[in-house]
Amino acid sequence: IKKERKKERNLCILLNHMISAAGTFMENSQRCRQTCSAQFKSHCRLVPKNYQHVLALVFAINKINQDPELLPNVTLGFRIYESFFSPRKTYESSFTLLSTRYLMIPNYNCDTKDKLSAVFGGLGSETSIQMATILGIYKIPQISYGSFHAMLSDKFQFPSVYRMVPNEIPQSLGLVRLMQHFQWTWIGLIASDDDSGEKFVQTLKPMLTRNSICVAFTERAPQVPSSSMAQAFREQHFKLHSSITQTKAEVIVVYGDTDSLLGLKLFLHINYQTAPIGKVWITTAQWDFTSNIALNKWTLKPFHGALSFAVHTEEVPGFRDFLRTLNPYQPQGDIFIQRFWHTVFNCSVLYSSLTIKDGRNCSGKEELASLPGSDFEMKMSGQSYSIYNGVYAVAHALHALYSSKSKKEATGKGHLLELQNIQPWELHPFLKNVQFNNSAGDKVYFDENGESSAGYDILNWIVFPNDSFIRVKVGHMDPRAPVGQEFTINEAAIVWNSRFNQTVPRSVCTDSCRPGYARTVREGEPLCCYNCAPCPEGTISNQTDADHCDRCPEDQYPNRDQDKCIPKIMNFLSYEEPLGFVLASFALLFSLLTALVLGMFITHRDTPIVRANNRELSYVLLLSLLLCFLCSLVFIGQPGRVTCLLRQTAFGVIFSVSVSSVLAKTITVVLAFKATKPGTSMKKWLGRRLASSIVVSCSLFQVGICAVWLGTDPPFPDLDMKSEAGHILVQCNEGSNAAFYCVLGYMGFLAIVSFTVAFLARKLPDTFNEAKFITFSMLVFCSVWVSFIPTYLSTKGKYMVAVEIFSILASSAGLLGCIFIPKCYIIVLRPDLNTREQLVRKSKSGTQEL
């Protein structure tokens, strides 16, 4: 198809296209029959779908030649050579490139038109390496469009090789991300039985291990059996079948190129006829498992629902229209199209030797779009897309070479450089720096290792009952994307193997530990095989397959299933709950009763019974008791800073006033009777000053203790999150426990003194004598507070507060009832006893007894 034009210069881009195993199109053409020796004759087979590689090359060159902006006045051409899956033929073709056409004499080239600029090839790794060994000596740019072999990335050994396929590392990383996305932690691995397969396993396994993914088994792909290998194939077949069927792994990763995995395709075909293996097959970009399917009649049904990585490709504008113009009767120099048409449409091509006995003739109007995907696809495959981009990369590099100022200066006065003087090695600097956007919108450039910048597409294979199929793009692995966005997958678009009923397959060694449980290692087994143990008390696991259980934050606690933390309930004695309401009611009731007694004493302040018992002290005692009942309300409700400061200090001071008043009353009673004896000097101690001094001095001492307490280590609101599960105890921290017990101890001391004095005065005349009542009241008071201490120390939270409130109310009620209720009884119900005569009579009687 090379065109001769006036004022045009011609370059030749040579495509080294391999046969059969290497992936080219050609079967029994005249040249194939003449070239293939007996040992390679079985490999001279037509692979119809690889005809697209030739068409992609032709399409790209035609587009470049029609582009007035790219390589103006330059026409590109090409030659195609076959390697016939033979190293000898590969070397022979490589040497032919270095010779004059039709004369294979290396280093002798007198062509003025066919100037070699770059070589494309090959589809297989072995052929690419064999070519690079020869072409690298002459520094001829070699564009490899199908080889993934890592050796070609070695720029020291192969500095002239540029790969249109991306590095394998992103593909391996994509496999790991795919496993992580679907939580597949137990997988099988099948690799080709060669060095590349071994290297892939050695690269992938550590990546899987680092991401907690285990390999259930690793097997080598079986070889295609021959008559001498039948027994070996049966053994391999049995071993592989056992590994696949006797494992819980539902996902199997397959690595290898098209030819090294022919035996695996045969294995799956045989098993599908007897016992289909319903697994999720994940294949790498190296394997096109649809190749040779049509030729060998092997079924594709085992691959229904498979996921495969493929070199990234996009829809190239105009390519489908170009394919629709193909016609076997208008070959336009295409030596392949008639044989291709004859093969895929099973018809006879007129005026040729390509006939079918009793078959129909080809009309030339057959639709390529009607062919099954195993024969031909209308969309560019990954290899075709690589060829398309590679041709454009060379064209842009040539364009940059021609446009360089240094080259123009070398020719003098801006004349174009004579193309015949360009050497292939001069293209390298421009190829390394080439960068452009192709017609599909993709950015094309080579990295520092001479590899393509493209990523990988993830395809989902949907196979129909008639073995036709479609490939649906469901994801992408783009190493150029921002961190965290390299891997994308559309889970909803995936069609799974029918065995899974369209639910996401699970591939795990052990069923996942549900939340509330943690994994424990099984001794001697991989980390992916584990037992599930419930979380210890007080801990949770809120995810599946948790490695360990975690404690909740202090303000939260585990729920019953131990799979989440829930906020703890704030626990304090409130007015809304029954206990708080009852205690508050009793406090108000006793306060009201105390106020009534105080009012009664004020009303009857001039009666003998009130005056005889030191009414001023009675008023002080009643007021202090009223405040005692009311101060218990400070203990109810959520503790705050002010309430914590007031609780114990107010309680201590007010109770000290109450007990001091009782002590003063007791001492006054004793002194009153002692003063009646003739010649005694006790009369000078009687009076208000003594009682007031006792009350004030005793109370001030307690005030001093509280002042020191508040000044050094005052009480403060505190949250106890550990004492009671599920609750936060909102309480007042006393700050200094020593100060708190000093307050209680001092009150106890006053109570004991009062009890002792009252006990000694119990035999005094009982008319209006309070000694007996004070003795009993102090007995009640001491009993309450002695029992308070152990009870207080053994309770927590609101119950501790309730104990203190109860003690305050009980002891205060004891004082009120024992001291004042008998007097109220006389005032209200026995006014006849509330007379001076009754007081004098009893006083005399008591004096005589004493």
Side-chain angles (χ1 to χ4, degrees):
I1 63 172
K2 186 181 69 175
K3 300 178 180 178
E4 296 286 345
R5 295 178 182 176
K6 189 177 182 181
K7 296 182 181 179
E8 289 184 348
R9 303 296 185 265
N10 299 279
L11 293 179
C12 182
I13 296 180
L14 296 141
L15 172 66
N16 188 308
H17 226 36
M18 293 149 284
I19 290 183
S20 185
T24 62
F25 169 87
M26 244 188 132
E27 188 186 10
N28 294 320
S29 64
Q30 181 66 26
R31 187 172 184 181
C32 182
R33 286 196 299 270
Q34 294 173 353
T35 309
C36 283
S37 62
Q39 59 178 326
F40 300 121
K41 203 163 189 178
S42 61
H43 293 291
C44 287
R45 291 180 170 181
L46 180 67
V47 184
K49 66 178 303 178
N50 287 344
Y51 176 49
Q52 191 192 79
H53 301 172
V54 177
L55 297 176
L57 173 75
V58 174
F59 176 74
I61 290 180
N62 285 345
K63 285 292 184 182
I64 293 170
N65 289 338
Q66 295 167 9
D67 189 343
E69 301 296 329
L70 184 62
L71 290 177
N73 297 324
V74 174
T75 299
L76 299 182
F78 65 90
R79 292 193 224 158
I80 296 178
Y81 289 83
E82 303 102 1
S83 67
F84 297 100
F85 198 60
S86 163
R88 182 179 63 83
K89 289 300 299 179
T90 301
Y91 290 128
E92 180 182 323
S93 297
S94 300
F95 279 118
T96 302
L97 297 174
L98 306 173
S99 308
T100 300
R101 187 186 294 195
Y102 310 122
L103 295 174
M104 196 188 77
I105 305 176
N107 298 328
Y108 177 74
N109 191 331
C110 60
D111 286 341
T112 58
K113 294 182 180 179
D114 294 344
K115 283 296 181 179
L116 177 64
S117 293
V119 178
F120 282 70
L123 183 60
S125 299
E126 290 185 7
T127 303
S128 297
I129 294 172
Q130 292 161 5
M131 292 170 56
T133 303
I134 302 299
L135 300 176
I137 299 174
Y138 298 89
K139 299 182 180 180
I140 297 174
Q142 177 183 345
I143 314 298
S144 175
Y145 62 89
S147 173
F148 289 84
H149 204 293
M151 185 184 297
L152 292 174
S153 298
D154 185 353
K155 304 312 290 182
F156 179 79
Q157 187 174 1
F158 299 110
S160 300
V161 176
Y162 301 85
R163 296 206 299 168
M164 294 308 301
V165 295
N167 191 283
E168 283 189 304
I169 297 299
Q171 178 177 236
S172 299
L173 182 59
L175 286 169
V176 175
R177 294 287 181 267
L178 185 65
M179 306 302 165
Q180 289 179 318
H181 178 82
F182 290 109
Q183 298 180 351
W184 294 330
T185 59
W186 190 241
I187 66 169
L189 190 57
I190 300 176
S192 56
D193 192 10
D194 53 25
D195 292 341
S196 61
E198 181 64 29
K199 183 172 183 180
F200 173 78
V201 172
Q202 292 176 355
T203 302
L204 183 63
K205 272 191 172 182
M207 297 175 68
L208 295 172
T209 302
R210 286 194 297 268
N211 291 275
S212 301
I213 302 169
C214 302
V215 177
F217 65 87
T218 302
E219 294 289 348
R220 299 299 178 188
Q223 299 293 323
V224 177
S226 62
S227 57
S228 60
M229 296 173 57
Q231 182 60 34
F233 181 78
R234 280 194 294 270
E235 293 175 356
Q236 288 180 316
H237 182 117
F238 178 78
K239 182 182 178 183
L240 184 59
H241 185 271
S242 299
S243 297
I244 294 175
T245 57
Q246 294 179 10
T247 180
K248 296 177 69 175
E250 301 290 355
V251 175
I252 300 175
V253 177
V254 180
Y255 175 89
D257 60 28
T258 301
D259 294 286
S260 63
L261 296 177
L262 281 175
L264 179 61
K265 285 200 293 187
L266 176 59
F267 165 81
L268 293 173
H269 173 76
I270 294 172
N271 278 276
Y272 186 81
Q273 310 303 321
T274 55
I277 299 174
K279 299 286 184 180
V280 177
W281 298 93
I282 300 178
T283 67
T284 57
Q286 290 81 349
W287 185 24
D288 180 6
F289 53 79
T290 62
S291 295
N292 291 319
I293 289 292
L295 180 65
N296 296 319
K297 303 301 180 183
W298 292 345
T299 182
L300 275 176
K301 293 184 180 69
F303 296 101
H304 176 63
L307 297 173
S308 67
F309 283 74
V311 176
H312 172 66
T313 181
E314 291 288 351
E315 190 73 34
V316 177
F319 186 66
R320 289 178 183 266
D321 295 334
F322 169 72
L323 295 180
R324 294 188 184 99
T325 64
L326 297 179
N327 191 312
Y329 299 116
Q330 298 175 4
Q332 297 181 348
D334 187 344
I335 63 173
F336 305 121
I337 187 169
Q338 289 188 348
R339 176 158 297 283
F340 169 80
W341 217 271
H342 164 70
T343 302
V344 297
F345 291 112
N346 196 29
C347 59
S348 299
V349 180
L350 298 176
Y351 315 113
S352 73
S353 60
L354 303 173
T355 60
I356 297 178
K357 187 177 181 180
D358 300 328
R360 68 179 184 86
N361 294 327
C362 300
S363 66
K365 297 180 179 180
E366 290 82 2
E367 293 288 339
L368 291 176
S370 66
L371 294 173
S374 56
D375 282 345
F376 194 83
E377 294 180 83
M378 297 293 286
K379 182 182 178 180
M380 271 193 183
S381 66
Q383 292 89 354
S384 298
Y385 194 64
S386 296
I387 293 172
Y388 175 82
N389 287 331
V391 172
Y392 265 91
V394 172
H396 278 278
L398 286 170
H399 186 86
L401 174 60
Y402 301 153
S403 302
S404 64
K405 293 181 180 181
S406 60
K407 291 297 181 181
K408 288 184 178 181
E409 292 173 358
T411 58
K413 297 183 180 181
H415 293 292
L416 287 176
L417 179 69
E418 289 293 331
L419 303 185
Q420 288 80 2
N421 295 332
I422 292 178
Q423 299 300 320
W425 56 264
E426 296 181 87
L427 201 60
H428 285 297
F430 300 94
L431 266 177
K432 292 176 180 177
N433 297 315
V434 72
Q435 189 172 123
F436 62 94
N437 290 328
N438 66 13
S439 60
D442 279 343
K443 191 173 185 179
V444 180
Y445 62 91
F446 295 106
D447 63 16
E448 63 276 6
N449 294 320
E451 295 173 337
S452 170
S453 59
Y456 291 89
D457 292 332
I458 302 175
L459 308 178
N460 180 217
W461 293 79
I462 303 173
V463 181
F464 299 103
N466 63 352
D467 264 341
S468 62
F469 65 90
I470 57 173
R471 295 181 296 179
V472 180
K473 182 179 176 180
V474 295
H476 189 66
M477 183 64 197
D478 186 2
R480 300 171 297 180
V483 177
Q485 301 178 22
E486 305 95 335
F487 177 81
T488 58
I489 190 74
N490 182 7
E491 184 177 331
I494 299 176
V495 175
W496 301 106
N497 190 288
S498 54
R499 173 171 169 260
F500 301 108
N501 297 320
Q502 204 48 34
T503 59
V504 177
R506 287 180 52 79
S507 188
V508 294
C509 177
T510 305
D511 289 336
S512 297
C513 295
R514 62 182 179 84
Y517 289 78
R519 301 188 297 185
T520 58
V521 178
R522 292 180 185 173
E523 189 174 352
E525 295 191 33
L527 292 177
C528 300
C529 302
Y530 47 81
N531 295 319
C532 298
C535 289
E537 186 177 356
T539 60
I540 63 116
S541 64
N542 56 4
Q543 61 184 8
T544 303
D545 288 336
D547 292 324
H548 53 82
C549 299
D550 301 309
R551 291 197 172 274
C552 291
E554 284 195 342
D555 60 342
Q556 298 178 7
Y557 72 102
N559 65 344
R560 179 182 237 176
D561 295 330
Q562 293 183 272
D563 58 1
K564 66 179 179 179
C565 294
I566 56 180
K568 290 182 178 179
I569 301 171
M570 305 288 278
N571 192 333
F572 56 89
L573 187 62
S574 66
Y575 291 100
E576 289 77 14
E577 59 181 300
L579 181 59
F581 177 78
V582 170
L583 292 174
S585 299
F586 273 106
L588 293 174
L589 178 62
F590 285 126
S591 299
L592 180 60
L593 184 59
T594 305
L596 289 175
V597 173
L598 179 60
M600 187 181 297
F601 267 59
I602 293 174
T603 303
H604 298 86
R605 62 184 176 276
D606 295 326
T607 60
I609 196 169
V610 175
R611 296 181 64 185
N613 289 281
N614 198 333
R615 61 186 174 188
E616 288 77 12
L617 280 178
S618 297
Y619 294 157
V620 173
L621 180 56
L622 285 170
L623 283 173
S624 62
L625 289 176
L626 175 62
L627 292 176
C628 283
F629 288 126
L630 292 177
C631 84
S632 65
L633 298 176
V634 182
F635 288 82
I636 303 176
Q638 183 169 352
R641 183 177 180 183
V642 175
T643 55
C644 286
L645 290 173
L646 291 178
R647 275 185 180 185
Q648 305 296 357
T649 55
F651 153 69
V653 171
I654 294 171
F655 250 79
S656 295
V657 173
S658 299
V659 180
S660 299
S661 300
V662 173
L663 179 60
K665 287 175 73 69
T666 308
I667 293 174
T668 300
V669 170
V670 173
L671 291 177
F673 280 95
K674 294 292 184 181
T676 58
K677 293 181 179 182
T680 183
S681 59
M682 291 292 183
K683 289 183 179 181
K684 64 181 180 180
W685 295 101
L686 294 175
R688 296 179 180 178
R689 292 181 62 186
L690 176 63
S692 299
S693 299
I694 293 173
V695 173
V696 172
S697 60
C698 292
S699 300
L700 284 178
F701 191 82
Q702 184 72 291
V703 170
I705 295 175
C706 292
V708 173
W709 184 8
L710 295 178
T712 56
D713 195 2
F716 57 89
D718 191 20
L719 301 178
D720 182 0
M721 302 183 182
K722 298 180 180 178
S723 296
E724 194 171 322
H727 293 85
I728 299 176
L729 303 183
V730 186
Q731 59 189 11
C732 287
N733 189 310
E734 307 305 346
S736 172
N737 288 324
F740 173 64
Y741 288 112
C742 282
V743 169
L744 292 181
Y746 180 69
M747 287 191 301
F749 170 74
L750 292 178
I752 291 172
V753 172
S754 298
F755 172 75
T756 303
V757 175
F759 180 78
L760 295 175
R762 69 188 184 283
K763 293 184 179 180
L764 295 175
D766 57 356
T767 301
F768 310 138
N769 177 20
E770 295 180 302
K772 293 180 180 179
F773 301 125
I774 291 174
T775 302
F776 190 71
S777 67
M778 287 296 101
L779 183 62
V780 173
F781 185 91
C782 292
S783 300
V784 169
W785 288 102
V786 167
S787 61
F788 160 78
I789 294 176
T791 308
Y792 182 83
L793 294 175
S794 63
T795 54
K796 293 286 184 181
K798 62 182 179 181
Y799 298 106
M800 183 172 66
V801 176
V803 167
E804 188 166 1
I805 295 174
F806 175 79
S807 300
I808 293 172
L809 295 178
S811 57
S812 300
L815 292 177
L816 179 65
C818 295
I819 296 176
F820 292 101
I821 294 301
K823 298 177 177 59
C824 292
Y825 171 76
I826 292 174
I827 293 172
V828 176
L829 300 178
R830 295 294 302 274
D832 56 303
L833 299 178
N834 191 10
T835 62
R836 184 176 179 79
E837 291 78 13
Q838 182 70 15
L839 176 62
V840 172
R841 185 175 64 84
K842 291 293 184 181
S843 296
K844 289 180 179 180
S845 172
T847 303
Q848 291 173 357
E849 291 177 3
L850 290 171

